[in-house]
């Protein structure tokens, strides 16, 4: 054992005099002897001070192995899911959800949930009128698009996603007019957001049809958050408007899951009075009762309470909710934003301390949930790089991907079942798709994740060399490695293959040598880098040196890997994100679904 320990700490190759089987014995010890901690392990650790062997000039060679016998976590097939903000009613983008290009982009990320919720959820009112513009005889939200209504899929013929799904081709002039309208409305919406005062929004039956048909055509399951701020004098929930929406949806046989409210911990600042956890729990029980009265939704899923960052008062609200309604919801939800978008800098996205803030929140939420309903699924909803709608050229840039990919890896490794990205389209600069319907860097990152990553999470074991830390300096984990079984939906790889995804926040390249079960296997590399002269600020990306762009409105590009010969050392460029599929591992954990 002393001999093994000596070679692990030195990082030197095993000499010819090593006893037979030594290398096999070394693999289980790699996790214990690692000189840096990984994000899949909770907490930060100081790097072990090790002397550099002769001839090593501060270069890190990392040995990496994966436990292929059994997964440490199994997450939802819909793990990476999407959100649309109700502001798309206000600024008009909801009328363009039938765009062939948008549906193609959304289909690329299915299967997934589509959550319709945001800060304006609790100011949303349903009005069962098909087209208010026609009934008034004058301009309105749908007036200028009335000639294109036939392009929108009608709910009663949207049953066959391939044959019954009619997709619209909106003229360029219509899109240009819409972008001008949205730019004007954006200023109004920002003023509301910064002042924390919101005007009421009306969701018509026609708008609900468009929303549902977008989800259905895209292969997404709609989750609708109902207004929780319609209150009775005794502060109980007034469900009359919600009941009207539920009845209409049921009449159309819409397959929808439900939520109630958004960030209830902020209600005092919104309406001047709070709703405590106990009362919110009673409101959810009331909603569950309504769903059970409607045959279409008697078994519908219900999620909540979608609290904000788990500070002391928010934890108290969650505890009160769980005591009353913990068994009523199918998953417990909360949301998280890393940075205030009004003060963000590009260097913020490279800070490991920032990436690690989510770990503490996960522990706090899990502690409460496991106290009252052990084993209950937990979701992170409404996650984004920045709050306040994001910041132009930052939260929609390549640099923001470091936060996004680390969020996916960290949540999966901690057993969070679903993460909902806010937003798919048009929520300032946190979106995946811009107003020209062009995919942004985080979209391509999400597409790679969907194509390559399966729901089974695997434990990794690492060991390597690290330069001696300066006195008083903590070396944080700037190289983050996660492992999953390769997606079963990807027919390019046989079952039993493994996918690694790696974030290198170092400003130098790093080398990784695959060991143990991964040794001498053919590897497919998917290296995602910024494209163009803007570097980390870029809104375009390249995959293995080739820029990524849609082929046409109905076709996503082929994501071509770069094959690496068996046994080759992986070279990770500085400030990059990459995926590596290790082929034909025949991992026991990955053979069966």
């Amino acid at each position: 054992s002393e001999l093994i320990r000596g070679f692990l700490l030195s990082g030197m190759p095993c000499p010819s005099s090593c006893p037979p089987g030594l290398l096999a014995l070394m693999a289980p010890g790699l996790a214990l002897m690692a000189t840096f901690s990984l994000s899949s392990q909770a907490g930060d650790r100081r790097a072990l001070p090790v002397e550099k062997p002769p001839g090593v000039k501060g270069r890190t060679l990392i040995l990496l192995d994966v436990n292929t016998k059994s997964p440490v976590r199994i997450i939802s097939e819909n793990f990476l899911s999407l959100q649309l903000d109700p502001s798309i009613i206000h600024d008009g983008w909801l009328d363009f959800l039938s765009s062939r290009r948008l549906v193609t982009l959304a289909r690329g990320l299915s299967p997934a949930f589509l959550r319709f919720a945001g800060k304006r959820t609790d100011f949303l009112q349903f009005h069962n009128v098909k087209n208010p513009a026609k009934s008034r005889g004058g301009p309105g939200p749908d007036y200028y698009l009335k000639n294109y209504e036939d392009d929108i899929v009608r709910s009663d013929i949207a049953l066959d996603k391939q044959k019954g799904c009619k997709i619209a081709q909106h003229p360029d002039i219509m899109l240009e007019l819409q972008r001008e309208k949205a730019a004007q409305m954006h200023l109004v919406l920002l003023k509301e957001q910064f002042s924390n005062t919101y005007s009421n929004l009306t969701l018509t039956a026609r708008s609900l049809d468009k929303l549902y048909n977008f989800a259905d055509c895209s292969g997404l399951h709609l989750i609708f958050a109902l207004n929780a701020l319609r209150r009775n004098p005794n502060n109980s929930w007034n469900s009359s408007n919600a009941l009207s929406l539920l009845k209409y949806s049921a009449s159309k046989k819409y397959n929808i899951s439900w939520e109630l409210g958004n960030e209830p911990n902020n209600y005092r600042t919104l309406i001047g009075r709070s709703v405590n956890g106990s009362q919110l729990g009673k409101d959810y029980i009331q909603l569950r009762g309504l769903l059970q009265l409607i045959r279409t939704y008697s078994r519908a899923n219900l999620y909540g309470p979608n609290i904000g960052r788990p500070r002391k008062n928010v934890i108290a609200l969650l505890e009160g909710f769980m005591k009353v309604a913990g068994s009523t919801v199918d998953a417990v939800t909360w949301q998280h934003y890393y940075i205030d978008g009004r003060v963000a800098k590009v260097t913020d996205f490279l800070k490991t301390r920032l990436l690690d803030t989510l770990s503490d929140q996960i522990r706090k939420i899990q502690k409460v949930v496991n106290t009252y309903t052990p084993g209950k699924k937990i979701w992170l909803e409404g996650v984004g790089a920045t709050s306040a709608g994001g910041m132009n050229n930052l939260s929609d840039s390549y640099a923001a991907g470091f936060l996004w990919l680390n969020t996916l890896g960290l949540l999966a490794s901690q057993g969070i079942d679903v993460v909902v990205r806010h937003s798919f389209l048009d929520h300032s600069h946190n979106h995946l798709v811009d107003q020209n319907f062009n995919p942004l860097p985080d979209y391509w990152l999400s597409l790679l994740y969907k194509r390559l990553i399966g729901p089974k999470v695997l434990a990794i074991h690492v060991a390597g060399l690290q330069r001696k830390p300066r006195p008083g300096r903590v070396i944080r984990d700037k190289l983050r490695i996660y492992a999953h079984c390769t997606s079963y939906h990807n027919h390019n790889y046989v079952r039993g293959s493994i996918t690694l995804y790696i974030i290198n926040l170092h400003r130098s390249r790093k080398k990784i040598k695959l060991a143990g079960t991964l040794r001498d296997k053919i590897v497919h590399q998917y290296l995602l880098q910024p494209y163009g002269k803007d570097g980390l600020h870029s809104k375009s990306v390249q995959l293995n040196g080739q820029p990524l762009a849609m082929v046409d409105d109905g076709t996503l590009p082929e994501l071509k890997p770069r094959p690496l010969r068996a046994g080759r050392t992986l070279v990770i460029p500085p400030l990059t994100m990459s995926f590596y599929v290790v082929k034909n591992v025949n991992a026991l954990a990955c053979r069966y679904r």
Side-chain angles (χ1 to χ4, degrees):
S1 62
E2 288 301 313
L3 181 61
I4 294 173
R5 184 176 185 274
F7 285 120
L8 283 171
L9 289 178
S10 70
M12 296 175 64
C14 186
S16 58
S17 59
C18 281
L22 176 57
L23 288 177
L25 290 174
M26 288 172 66
L30 293 179
L32 298 177
M33 309 311 299
T35 58
F36 58 89
S37 64
L38 287 169
S39 300
S40 58
Q41 301 167 2
D44 296 318
R45 302 176 184 173
R46 290 182 179 273
L48 296 176
V50 251
E51 296 297 326
K52 291 180 288 186
V56 177
K57 298 180 179 180
R59 183 175 294 172
T60 302
L61 176 63
I62 297 146
L63 300 176
L64 172 65
D65 192 12
V66 172
N67 184 340
T68 60
K69 292 182 179 180
S70 60
V72 291
R73 299 278 190 272
I74 301 178
I75 52 178
S76 170
E77 289 275 0
N78 292 6
F79 174 71
L80 195 167
S81 287
L82 307 171
Q83 182 163 325
L84 279 175
D85 195 279
S87 62
I88 64 171
I89 300 171
H90 223 321
D91 60 23
W93 284 115
L94 186 144
D95 295 309
F96 289 82
L97 290 182
S98 60
S99 160
R100 177 181 297 277
R101 193 174 179 89
L102 279 183
V103 170
T104 299
L105 288 166
R107 279 178 178 169
L109 301 181
S110 67
F113 296 108
L114 178 67
R115 180 177 184 254
F116 187 67
K119 290 186 178 296
R120 292 168 179 81
T121 285
D122 294 303
F123 299 89
L124 192 64
Q125 302 184 56
F126 178 69
H127 190 40
N128 192 358
V129 173
K130 274 288 182 183
N131 194 332
K134 285 185 177 180
S135 65
R136 290 194 305 268
D142 294 333
Y143 180 75
Y144 296 106
L145 294 168
K146 66 181 181 179
N147 293 328
Y148 301 95
E149 285 181 350
D150 290 340
D151 294 330
I152 309 300
V153 179
R154 289 182 55 208
S155 60
D156 56 351
I157 63 170
L159 302 179
D160 186 335
K161 295 181 178 63
Q162 301 301 321
K163 297 179 181 179
C165 203
K166 295 180 180 179
I167 305 298
Q169 288 284 14
H170 299 99
D172 291 342
I173 184 63
M174 293 298 297
L175 289 169
E176 185 59 36
L177 288 170
Q178 167 56 25
R179 281 191 284 269
E180 292 178 6
K181 172 187 173 182
Q184 295 172 359
M185 287 305 304
H186 178 65
L187 298 176
V188 176
L189 297 176
L190 277 181
K191 184 178 179 181
E192 288 186 354
Q193 186 163 319
F194 291 148
S195 65
N196 214 28
T197 55
Y198 298 95
S199 56
N200 288 331
L201 275 177
T202 298
L203 177 74
T204 65
R206 188 60 175 156
S207 295
L208 181 59
D209 292 343
K210 295 174 184 178
L211 175 66
Y212 184 82
N213 292 319
F214 169 71
D216 195 48
C217 290
S218 303
L220 309 176
H221 177 79
L222 182 62
I223 300 174
F224 194 100
L226 299 165
N227 184 343
L229 280 184
R230 292 178 64 90
R231 315 301 293 183
N232 294 315
N234 65 355
N235 208 29
S236 63
W237 178 50
N238 185 326
S239 61
S240 57
N241 191 255
L243 184 59
S244 176
L245 192 155
L246 289 170
K247 287 181 176 179
Y248 175 79
S249 299
S251 73
K252 308 296 285 188
K253 294 183 170 55
Y254 288 162
N255 181 18
I256 302 177
S257 295
W258 303 94
E259 295 182 357
L260 181 59
N262 185 76
E263 285 195 273
N265 45 289
N266 287 338
Y267 285 170
R268 178 174 289 279
T269 60
L270 291 176
I271 61 170
R273 61 177 177 176
S274 61
V275 177
N276 61 36
S278 177
Q279 179 58 56
L280 189 64
K282 294 175 183 177
D283 299 338
Y284 264 78
I285 291 174
Q286 181 182 349
L287 174 55
R288 175 62 81 186
L290 286 180
L291 295 175
Q292 290 174 342
L293 291 174
I294 300 172
R295 179 178 298 178
T296 304
Y297 300 123
S298 60
R299 297 184 179 180
N301 287 331
L302 178 60
Y303 307 110
N306 194 41
I307 55 172
R309 180 175 295 184
R311 298 185 176 93
K312 186 175 180 180
N313 64 315
V314 181
I315 289 295
L317 188 150
L318 179 60
E319 289 176 335
F321 175 84
M322 295 301 295
K323 287 177 184 178
V324 175
S327 60
T328 300
V329 292
D330 295 283
V332 176
T333 62
W334 100 101
Q335 61 183 357
H336 173 71
Y337 293 92
Y338 286 94
I339 312 172
D340 186 338
R342 291 166 285 191
V343 297
K345 305 182 293 296
V346 70
T347 52
D348 289 336
F349 296 99
L350 308 179
K351 294 178 179 178
T352 55
R353 189 184 301 273
L354 178 69
L355 270 63
D356 293 336
T357 57
L358 187 56
S359 296
D360 184 54
Q361 292 196 26
I362 294 172
R363 286 191 292 270
K364 289 179 179 178
I365 297 293
Q366 287 177 331
K367 181 179 179 181
V368 175
V369 173
N370 290 330
T371 297
Y372 295 98
T373 53
K376 178 75 69 176
K377 294 185 184 302
I378 302 175
W379 291 12
L380 178 58
E381 293 187 331
V383 67
T386 59
S387 62
M391 178 174 282
N392 189 23
N393 210 30
L394 287 180
S395 49
D396 52 2
S397 68
Y398 177 86
F402 295 122
L403 277 180
W404 179 224
L405 187 57
N406 186 71
T407 297
L408 294 171
L410 183 61
L411 291 172
S413 66
Q414 296 295 324
I416 301 304
D417 197 51
V418 171
V419 54
V420 181
R421 170 61 187 254
H422 192 197
S423 173
F424 175 69
L425 170 73
D426 187 49
H427 185 65
S428 295
H429 306 288
N430 271 333
H431 46 219
L432 299 180
V433 179
D434 69 16
Q435 293 188 354
N436 294 311
F437 299 169
N438 289 323
L440 292 162
D442 276 7
Y443 176 86
W444 296 115
L445 189 59
S446 302
L447 184 64
L448 277 168
Y449 192 97
K450 280 286 188 179
R451 294 282 176 87
L452 300 176
I453 302 298
K456 291 185 178 180
V457 186
L458 304 175
I460 59 175
H461 308 291
V462 295
L465 297 175
Q466 183 70 282
R467 282 189 293 230
K468 188 175 181 179
R470 301 190 194 108
R473 180 187 176 194
V474 174
I475 294 183
R476 290 181 175 270
D477 181 12
K478 288 193 172 185
L479 190 69
R480 303 191 172 218
I481 307 173
Y482 301 96
H484 288 237
C485 295
T486 303
S487 173
Y488 299 126
H489 301 293
N490 192 324
H491 300 300
N492 294 323
Y493 302 108
V494 298
R495 292 191 180 185
S497 299
I498 287 173
T499 301
L500 309 170
Y501 50 110
I502 302 173
I503 304 168
N504 184 12
L505 295 173
H506 290 278
R507 297 185 181 273
S508 60
R509 67 179 186 174
K510 298 299 171 186
K511 292 187 174 183
I512 296 177
K513 189 72 174 176
L514 301 183
T517 54
L518 309 185
R519 184 188 292 110
D520 296 330
K521 302 296 183 183
I522 295 175
V523 176
H524 279 186
Q525 172 186 277
Y526 297 83
L527 175 61
L528 200 65
Q529 295 174 290
Y531 178 71
K533 61 182 180 180
D534 294 328
L536 294 178
H537 287 88
S538 179
K539 296 182 182 180
S540 300
V541 294
Q542 54 185 328
L543 179 65
N544 295 325
Q546 297 298 316
L548 287 177
M550 295 186 72
V551 177
D552 54 48
D553 287 352
T555 312
L556 292 168
E558 183 182 356
L559 303 178
K560 296 181 180 179
R562 179 190 174 198
L564 305 179
R565 62 173 172 79
R568 179 173 174 175
T569 298
L570 308 183
V571 180
I572 317 298
L575 300 176
T576 57
M577 296 166 281
S578 51
F579 296 78
Y580 295 89
V581 178
V582 188
K583 299 181 64 178
N584 304 321
V585 178
N586 199 26
L588 180 62
C590 306
R591 290 181 200 167
Y592 309 103
R593 299 188 70 165

